[in-house]
Amino acid sequence: MMKSQNADLDKPLTLTELMRGAAAPEAESTGPRYWRSLSELADDGSFGEMASRAAARAQAAIHGLDEPSRRKFMTLMGASFALAGVAGCGVQPVEKIVPYVEQPELIVPGKPLFFATASSRGGDGVGLLVESHMGRPIKIEGNPSHPTGKGATDVFSQAEILSLYDPDRSQVAVHDGGVDTWERFLRFAVDLRARKLGEKGRGLRILTRSVCSPTVLDQIRRLREQMPEARWHSYEPVNRDAARKGAELALGSPMEASYHLEKADVVVALDADLLGWGPAGLRHARAFADRRDPEAESPLKLYAFEPTPSLTGAAADVRVPVAAADVLLVAAALAKALKVEGAPDLDAKRIEPHAARIAALAAELESKKGKALVAVGDSQPAEVHALGLALNAALGAIGEAVTLAPADELAPADQTASLVELVREIEAGAVDTVLVLGANPVYEAPADLKVAEALRNEKVTALIHLGLYNDETGALAHWHLPEAHFLESWGDVRSADGTVSLQQPLIEPLYQGRTASDVLAALLGQVGVPGRELVREYWKTRLPEENFEASWRQALRDGVVPLPAAEPAPAPPAPKLDKVQWPAPAAPADGEYELVFRPDPTIWDGRYANNGWLQELPKPLTTLTWDNAALVSPALARKLGIEDQQVVTLEFRSSTIKAPVLIAPGQAEGTVTVHLGYGRSRAGRVGNGIGFDAYKLRRADAPWSGPGLKLIPTEGRIPLAITQHHHDTKNREPVKVSTFEAARHHGEGEAHGHHHPDFSLYPDAPYKQSEDYAWGMAIDLNRCIGCGACTIACQAENNIPIVGKDQVLNSREMHWIRVDRYYEGEGAASADNPTTHFQPVPCMHCEKAPCELVCPVEATTHSDEGLNEMTYNRCVGTRYCGNNCPYKVRRFNFLQYTDNETPGLQLLRNPDVTVRMRGVMEKCTYCVQRINEARQNAKVEGRKVGGDEVVTACQAACPTRAIVFGNLLDKESSVSKLQASHRNYALLEELGTKPRTTYLTKLTHGAEAHEEPRHG
Amino acid sequence: MSGAHATPETPEVYGLMAEFDDPDRLVEVTRDAYGRGFRQMEAYTPFPVEGLDHALGYHRNKVPRTVFAGALIGGLSGFLLQCWSAMYYYPHNIAGKPLYSWPAFIPITFETTVLGGALSAVFGMLFFNGLPKLYHPVFNAPAFALASDDRFFLCIQSRDPLFDPAETLAFLETCGPRSVSVVPY
Amino acid sequence: MADHQHDDGRPPVLAPGHTYATVTSTISDIVLTRPLDWRWAVGMGIGSSLLLVFGAAVSMLLFKGVGIWGVNAPVMWGWAIINFVWWVGIGHAGTLISAILLLLKQQWRTSINRFAEAMTLFAVACAGMFPLLHMGRPWKFFWMMPYPSTMALLPQWRSPLVWDVFAVSTYATVSALFWYVGLIPDLATLRDRAKNKWVAMIYGSLALGWRGSARHWSRYKSAYMLLAALATPLVVSVHTVVSLDFAASVIPGWHATIFPPYFVAGAIFSGFAMVVTLCVPLRAWYGLKDFITIRHLDNMAKIILATGMIVGYGYAMEFFIAWYSGNPYEEFLLLDARPFGTYSNAYRCMILCNVGIPQLLWVPAIRRNPVLLWIISIFVNIGMWLERYVIVVTSLSQDFLPSSWADYNPTIWDVATFLGTIGLFTFLLFLFVRVLPAIAVAEMRELVHEKHHEHAAAGAAVAEAHGENR
Amino acid sequence: MPQVFHPSANTLSRVVLFSLAAGPGALLGLMMLLVRSPYQTQVGVVREQPVQFSHEHHVKGLGIDCRFCHSSVETAASAGMPPTHTCMTCHSQIWTGSPLLEPVRASLKEQKPLAWTRIHDLPDFVYFHHGVHVQKGVGCVECHGRVDNMPLAWREKPLTMQWCLECHRNPEPRLRPKDEVFNMEWTPPEGSELAHAASTATTSAPAEGSHANLGPHPNTMNHVEVGQLTNCSICHR
């Protein structure tokens, strides 16, 4: 790249030249080489054309995005007779075969390769395996050898693959509003370095999000050594400040607690979304599910006190809605009951109604000492964390179920404070150069800091922004540099538990992206050192050099760096509460409510706003898509006479926004919840201008909640695209619930698990069925936590298009596996705090499938292995099958949903799955492409497919292993075992459809949260 | 009253056409003529007149058996097509139903039966009637246009062995027609 | 009409004083000599402009896909199927009148059958549009028919939709044949009466050279009778098959054994209503009051009343079975969702139009008052459309799993397509009355002939007339 | 009354009526023939190629094994097209000056791949796996014909679904011992079960054990599970 332009650096290159320049694959000594696409390899011009189109878009991205195409973008493109995908009629057009010039080792056309890498978010990381076809990464799986996910992934890691190919990603360096080149930035950087070395780095500020890359941390450290007066600030809108500060209060040093549910029998979540918050949620979810197993001798019991419904609350045996501010009171009450020394004596009036319950809980904790833990959420203030540590100490959990790790000494312990400091310094004119690496402070900083104004300060002569998108901050920057996606770059990730994984590129940067370490390297004088070298250099210093190459390759293969055993950390001091000042419990004025902020369940803090998959993924519990809303409790809605979709004005500390209301059963009465991440102005064509920007209400001193919210109803309405409109089961029992008690000694006249007689007049099958395979699936409702990872994994695996808000509003979403959510309980009380049940619903693959009977053209038939097959290319779209499916799992392409125009998205498609066109029915296929791949491998090796060999996409992604797929004829397969369980039942069994997908009864502790345990 | 193509020197006569204005009278005359041994004759009426065909000695109507045959063929082919394709041509497992799901084959079998019957009825009728026949000598007869209005005609054809221009004319005159005319080819 | 009272005190099927000639001229002159009148022009104008709307709607549909309609998941069938069933239903009266009443030797059918058959054809043409248009990939429609494809695949014979394809296409074919065979003698009449050579040639070639020979007549009559005999069960079968589209499914509110009879009754109900809707203005405008007499209206009103009662019985049975079966899904749908749910208004209007209003027909005076009868028939048409709306939409929008329930709303394109087919129907109908005899001339002559005989045999006539007209 | 029509109208009208009845049928028949004709199936159509490569010369003449160029045919879905490098392994030694090979040399020089024109092209929604077919003992010849007699490659078989099914319903006649798969001239040994199967290609019923003495039955020989071969999802996903 460098060499190609060294000739005349002054002449700015055209975008197409840039593209071609980047197209030359970087010489790699070891490991496979990476390409953007086959068409690039065979440069038959199509790539050049694609590149220039991309360039055109980049221009558009710079000078504001084109309004009309916004949002419709991914959805209604085609709408033409372009009989792509499933089409096929008339004489075939002539096709070209383009072989390699030099066949690269490893790559066999049609055979996927898997590479280990890792993603990071909020200072934590998940190990991943990425499936690559002919140099195109197309699917992300969890890395089984990585402790965080143990092979599972959350929705974000799944969706990263779409972000990689997102055509709205920043594609060109921009200097003062004009297109520029990386090379010229390098020259700028070299000058800057020279200047700053002279000034010892005075006036140089670096702003990042939470950094968990050892290499980058090391680079920053080295930079600080070279430029002592330079400062590093890091700010993450969803941060762990409170936890660290709490630890500082109680222990004297900012330590980060991590919880180990596998070691606890009783878990109390104080506004802690253990299962849904950050990568650690994956670990918690798995441990939780394993400890809830009916075979486990003492199933874990979960208590949740929280202001707004969360996955954790939904999974809890006892869930108590309390205002965010009252969580402190709950903690204090528990502490008092457990005789924690220094426990504050606070006025517990507001939690009076729950007193009995808390007392009982305290007693139970007392009895479970050593097997209990109290988890405090990052959204709670430092005092509660301090109290939480004290409680855990009292319960003897510290070092057992709760471990404390020292925070990185280099990184700011209080990120908010560090951002405030940065802003103050800029305002004081002490800063001339700000290097924003991968952060977007203009959008995501608390509103009262007025970061935008600060950055516009004329003293700041160089604002350099490196970002995946040319976003709100990029718009202000003097230099905007496109950032490389982690699937395009070398790097490393340290996850909270200390495991380190390497990031290796799956593909050449699509848009000349660079990484933060590339930029830092430039400032460190290592101009043009490839990313791979930067990472190796660092690890050469960390890993024993005698067998460095071996361990390096092992790290690349396994995705986990084999670190020499670290010396055990010194036991943390006992927590003390004397230094803590307890806030006076402020009685809420009437007409004023509590405002609570939450990261959005699907687009987090806004960084995924342009990811269509995540936008359309129904948010757990609300099933809302494409929007955020102000969540209010049913009681409050009744009181104010407001209803769903009605727009209200939220007034909080002198700033106001308008937001549509969504009534959330289980919300604390006086609390209103808003989700961060929406209302973006420069996210991209998908994410721009949808929802409202909750950051406008956020305050540096009230990052998560605060009293004094005024809520003024207006006449306006904003339609909210929710995917589930009816929440009660109408006494139909799709989800069967029993108790651990009942499950332990079932058989004593237990009703559940009994089966309807087979009343079909017809023989089982019209002709001989396979003697080798009968595929089936079992979904354990006792493990499902409703996170939605299955839905998005399925979307990624099966080329499922997204349809856009207007289509979802007409309930035309295309997800093959949906997560149904039912509320249980009688009367208004249930609405205020209902029991929540989740139920993933894929195709049932009925053996007497109603859909097959009515198809006029054999487009859906039954295989001799029990699959309900959907042959897209035979479908004429009468939609009769969709009508006749009792489970309503069939999805129809009412319009041309698949985007065949955008070149980037074509690279994303899974080549093993037909791309469906408009007018064709589709549905869950049990990932038949995976079955067939296993079958083919088995045949080539001359063996049979193993009972558990085939893993469906939803199964692979599921954090709790709730979904199990396999061969029912193999009695040893896990699915056979599960379906043999007494908890096994079929959905709508009485219809006699004989589903191959069955469910396992959900179990509870039968606590007061439920009325009498009910059976099938 | 002769077609342009009928050459005057050899005037060929198709037959003699008597015109009546009462159907019942026509029936009597026809019966009478049949009694006198005329066979090659035809009556023309604006609507089906009861008994007229018998009066002409026409009894064997082949249309019904044609229809029966047509319906039979239609039904059989429909049913067999379904069985063959569902059981042998490409046997599919459809909702676990037997390959030979005869109850499901009944509706289409019925439809094809009716279709076969209907088609054979119409085309059989046209075939036996020798239609379409846009040109026919009888159209040469004067006032024959009224055969589709309110007149009733009896035509004794020249190819009848008993046909004799003079006598036959005389006979027809005795039957009290409105008019008798010569129908040229 | 009260002045020409028949001997038995009931209005006659044919006003007295008509001869073969008058019958012939009155009817054929409408086609051959009568000048354009403004009412026809207006009707034709409306029809053809709606036809343009249809064109627009269909092109939009083909260009963008069925997504422009309101259909969604779970309500994957919407107006398209509703309209289909509605039109097919209307298409039943024609063949029924011609076939069944012919076999029953009902004289009064004579003057309305031609017209009713034409209506049938056009209604079926409109109906046929929808199954094609509602497909996701209409250009693949031929996969539903058996043909030797290189895919070695034939239709899936167990699917009611395939039965539909055969039933509707057979019905269309047979009705067309029946109609055309009936037309042949009248085309001959037009040929012979046409002043203009070209007109004569056109009608002549359509008449296939019909010359009214006695032998031809006898074959003709047996063919016609047999067609009627075949068409009779066909009529019943068509709507039975259509009803099986619903009855063969598992969806609550669809999966009901009562559907076939109740659909057929409904079809006849709506069919006769439409005949009345069209007859009343027609006889007024074209001076056909002598041929389409009060007697006809009266009899049709009686049939409407009777079939309406059957439909009402159907509704009642749905309730009863839902309760009696104890099937929770049926119970919820029929006893809760339909009468009180989202679509309760449609449901209640339906009951009013189909069961309530027709009760007025118990009153002879109303039956014999063309204007009132016409208004009632309009209500019945609306009611029957609503019936199909209720069946299709309510059942689908709330079936088994509450999680997947969703409401259905039509779009402007649904409406445009429906109006479009109404345009097509009107257009064809107005074309028909101008270019073809709207009443079977030959059969009317036969009727005149029979009437002469009745008068001849004076005393016997009364009794005979009773026998015939019952 | 004057005649409306000339006598010739009689014949004419019958012709018209007949063609109205028979015409559509004839048209359909024509289309049926058309979709089976080379125009649609491209059978026997020689396509223009960047290099005049002769299978006849390389396979029959030089006796090069299929797998030398189509290297992944035994294991992968795609048989694999030879990279330019493979051509040059020999052609850097022989015919180094031949103008015919200019594109190949150019490709290597400019690192710009050759773009061959596809001969055997299945629709995008059909998934075919070479490796499995080879493993089950389907000879190359069965689908590709006698490539060793093709100076320039053409399509030998129509590759229609019907054609695929003929074999998927009744594989025996097309199966052979695995080691004979790449043999172009192979014919079943006299009187063997294979020969028997091949002779009864028309009857779909697999021959029974009565022929046990005739050597292995083709299906059992290569463990072909015939039942699954007609599942839609075997080829369509």
Side-chain angles (χ1 to χ4, degrees), chain A residues 29-47:
Chain A
S29 50
T30 67
R33 300 157 55 196
Y34 308 99
W35 297 268
R36 285 198 187 71
S37 71
L38 266 184
S39 57
E40 173 198 340
L41 274 171
D43 197 350
D44 54 1
S46 73
F47 180 73

Side-chain angles (χ1 to χ4, degrees), chain B residues 28-39 41 55 162 171:
Chain B
E28 292 158 21
V29 171
T30 316
R31 219 176 266 119
D32 187 5
Y34 190 81
R36 286 164 176 275
F38 286 110
R39 292 292 175 272
M41 57 179 177
L162 299 184
F171 160 67

Side-chain angles (χ1 to χ4, degrees), chain B residues 23-24 41-48 53 56 58 61 63-64 67 81-82 85 89-90 92 94 98-99 101 104-105 107-108 110-111 117-119 122 125-126 128-129 131-134 136 138-139 144-145 148-150, chain C residues 20-21 24 146 152-154 156-158 162-163 166-167 170 173-174 177 181 188-189 191-193 204-205 208-223 226-227 230 233-234 237 442 445-446 449 453:
Chain B
D24 307 335
M41 57 179 177
E42 184 57 272
Y44 301 94
T45 58
F47 58 83
D53 49 350
L56 285 164
Y58 175 74
N61 179 347
V63 173
V67 175
L81 172 68
Q82 297 179 73
S85 76
Y89 190 46
Y90 201 149
H92 285 287
I94 301 293
L99 297 180
S101 318
F105 299 160
I108 291 179
F110 172 80
E111 303 296 342
L119 289 173
V122 175
M125 183 269 285
L126 291 180
F128 293 124
N129 285 355
L131 297 176
K133 195 168 182 47
L134 301 188
H136 194 280
V138 295
F139 290 126
F144 190 77
S148 64
D149 187 350
D150 60 349
Chain C
Y20 305 129
T24 309
L153 285 173
L154 273 84
Q156 201 278 96
W157 305 108
R158 298 171 190 80
V162 178
W163 307 347
F166 277 80
T170 305
T173 320
V174 173
L177 289 174
V181 170
T189 306
R191 173 196 63 200
D192 297 344
R193 294 177 62 88
S205 40
L208 302 175
W210 181 262
R211 51 188 189 276
S213 127
R215 290 184 174 80
H216 288 188
W217 272 123
S218 104
R219 298 197 191 93
Y220 176 91
K221 285 211 68 144
S222 55
L226 286 165
L227 271 179
L230 288 166
L234 183 63
S237 83
R445 295 198 205 95
E446 207 174 353
H449 181 56
H453 282 261

Side-chain angles (χ1 to χ4, degrees), chain D residues 117-198:
Chain D
T117 308
R118 209 176 249 294
I119 302 288
H120 296 85
D121 186 6
L122 292 173
D124 298 349
F125 47 74
V126 177
Y127 290 85
F128 176 86
H129 195 282
H130 273 97
V132 171
H133 288 80
V134 170
Q135 284 302 317
K136 297 299 177 186
V138 182
C140 307
V141 182
E142 299 297 342
C143 307
H144 297 289
R146 290 297 296 272
V147 177
D148 60 336
N149 296 343
M150 299 183 185
L152 284 174
W154 62 78
R155 191 187 287 185
E156 183 74 14
K157 296 289 198 305
L159 305 191
T160 60
M161 177 169 166
Q162 196 165 23
W163 172 81
C164 296
L165 279 168
E166 279 167 20
C167 181
H168 268 219
R169 288 183 175 138
N170 177 25
E172 302 91 19
R174 285 95 176 172
L175 296 180
R176 52 177 74 182
K178 281 183 201 161
D179 45 14
E180 297 292 349
V181 165
F182 300 96
N183 177 351
M184 287 284 145
E185 281 95 0
W186 184 84
T187 52
E190 263 329 295
S192 74
E193 179 66 62
L194 299 174
H196 177 78

Side-chain angles (χ1 to χ4, degrees), chain A residues 574-586:
Chain A
K576 298 199 180 42
L577 296 178
D578 41 18
K579 283 200 283 330
V580 187
Q581 284 97 10
W582 304 105

